[in-house]
């Protein structure tokens, strides 16, 4: 299913509101298991900083990466005020993305240097960190099936992004493959590993390793938030390939 620019923007705004609400009721020093070494305050600061960074780049139609240290973030002095600060960044982000439109040229971390790429990234980055905050506070995260399936697509499309090095992506067992099969929506993914890296496609096929379960659980395992042994999943074949995937692709 294809989603338009407004769908991603609206989704990002909604996720910012959810994360702000969770953080507002939590201890800023609460550890966040999904982001080892982070507290709730650090999670919120990171997410709100990214929103303001993207807002600045999209508003300026920047052709190069903006140094986050050059921005006036307006970060509150007290960590207990971070939740409100996070929420205040939603409308400026949405306004910048709407004004730009999906096709405006903007520097990006991924292969598609457009404002549309950033709208999609902001939805999924914020959605995953909202889930991190929920897990930290003892709540099981939930995702709409459309957003979860698109989150897997987005993760796979951006595999070369961030800290993932060509050496890591080229070091999987050549000829091995991973199949993800959602049981609650129309979603199947085949990921192949070779000497030239990783490629993927939507669809059904036999693979070295298969993981079957709700699309929300597949999203979480792809992002390294749950182990292959999670009870929501049924894993067939070599489970160690899933563990290796998480070790080498985590953001």
């Amino acid at each position: 299913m294809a989603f338009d620019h407004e769908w991603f923007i609206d989704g990002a705004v909604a996720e910012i509101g959810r994360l702000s609400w969770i953080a507002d009721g939590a201890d800023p020093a609460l550890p966040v298991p999904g982001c080892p070494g982070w507290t709730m305050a650090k999670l919120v600061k990171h997410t709100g900083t990214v929103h303001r960074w993207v807002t600045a780049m999209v508003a300026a139609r920047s052709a190069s990466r903006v140094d986050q240290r050059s921005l006036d973030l307006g970060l509150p002095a007290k960590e207990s005020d971070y939740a409100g600060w996070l929420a205040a960044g939603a409308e400026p982000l949405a306004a910048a993305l709407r004004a730009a439109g999906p096709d405006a040229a903007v520097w990006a971390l991924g292969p598609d240097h457009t404002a549309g790429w950033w709208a999609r990234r902001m939805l999924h980055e914020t959605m995953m960190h909202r889930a991190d905050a929920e897990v930290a506070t003892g709540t099981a995260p939930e995702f709409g099936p459309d957003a979860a399936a698109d989150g897997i697509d987005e993760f796979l499309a951006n595999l070369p992004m961030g800290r993932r090095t060509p050496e890591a992506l080229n070091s999987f067992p050549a000829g091995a493959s991973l199949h993800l099969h959602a049981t609650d929506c129309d979603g199947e993914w085949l990921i192949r590993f070779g000497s030239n890296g990783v490629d993927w496609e939507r669809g059904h096929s036999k693979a070295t390793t298969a993981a079957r379960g709700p699309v929300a659980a597949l999203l979480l395992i792809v992002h390294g938030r749950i182990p292959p042994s999670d009870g929501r999943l049924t894993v067939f074949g070599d489970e160690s390939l899933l563990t290796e995937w998480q070790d080498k692709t985590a953001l």
Side-chain angles (χ1 to χ4, degrees):
M1 180 181 294
F3 305 106
D4 64 19
H5 193 56
E6 285 295 321
W7 188 85
F8 290 117
I9 296 170
D10 289 344
V13 169
E15 290 292 349
I16 293 170
R18 293 183 186 114
L19 176 54
S20 175
W21 183 83
I22 297 163
D24 193 41
D27 181 350
L30 183 70
V32 178
C35 302
W38 284 22
T39 61
M40 183 68 73
K42 184 164 184 176
L43 177 75
V44 174
K45 178 183 177 182
H46 162 80
T47 310
T49 297
V50 169
H51 294 158
R52 286 159 173 80
W53 176 57
V54 173
T55 298
M57 287 193 295
V58 172
R61 312 292 193 272
S62 180
S64 60
R65 182 177 186 140
V66 169
D67 188 341
Q68 291 184 9
R69 295 170 296 181
S70 70
L71 301 176
D72 180 4
L73 299 174
L75 188 71
K78 295 193 300 183
E79 291 182 342
S80 58
D81 293 332
Y82 281 9
W85 169 80
L86 173 72
E91 279 311 312
L93 174 64
L97 290 168
R98 288 191 175 107
D103 300 322
V106 181
W107 179 88
L109 288 162
D112 179 15
H113 286 215
T114 65
W117 185 91
W118 279 116
R120 190 185 193 196
R121 179 86 285 269
M122 289 301 90
L123 166 59
H124 293 301
E125 168 134 351
T126 311
M127 186 170 78
M128 188 53 56
H129 286 324
R130 179 264 296 173
D132 290 331
E134 287 178 323
V135 171
T137 56
T139 301
E142 296 183 358
F143 310 95
D146 289 341
D150 188 71
I152 296 172
D153 285 344
E154 196 256 1
F155 187 92
L156 295 175
N158 291 318
L159 274 177
M161 185 177 72
R163 296 188 300 271
R164 299 151 175 163
T165 64
E167 291 77 16
L169 295 179
N170 291 342
S171 65
F172 288 98
S177 55
L178 176 61
H179 178 232
L180 307 175
H181 188 148
T183 55
D184 56 348
C185 72
D186 182 16
E188 294 189 68
W189 295 262
L190 178 65
I191 305 164
R192 300 186 185 91
F193 307 106
S195 57
N196 293 319
V198 179
D199 65 68
W200 68 280
E201 63 182 343
R202 280 282 198 121
H204 179 81
S205 181
K206 289 187 177 180
T208 308
T209 302
R212 181 183 175 90
V215 68
L218 297 179
L219 176 67
L220 290 168
I221 197 168
V222 162
H223 279 265
R225 270 25 183 216
I226 59 174
S229 59
D230 187 278
R232 288 166 287 184
L233 297 169
T234 303
V235 177
F236 305 92
D238 184 4
E239 188 175 293
S240 68
L241 186 63
L242 269 171
T243 302
E244 184 177 1
W245 166 267
Q246 293 183 322
D247 290 342
K248 292 179 178 178
T249 66
L251 283 173

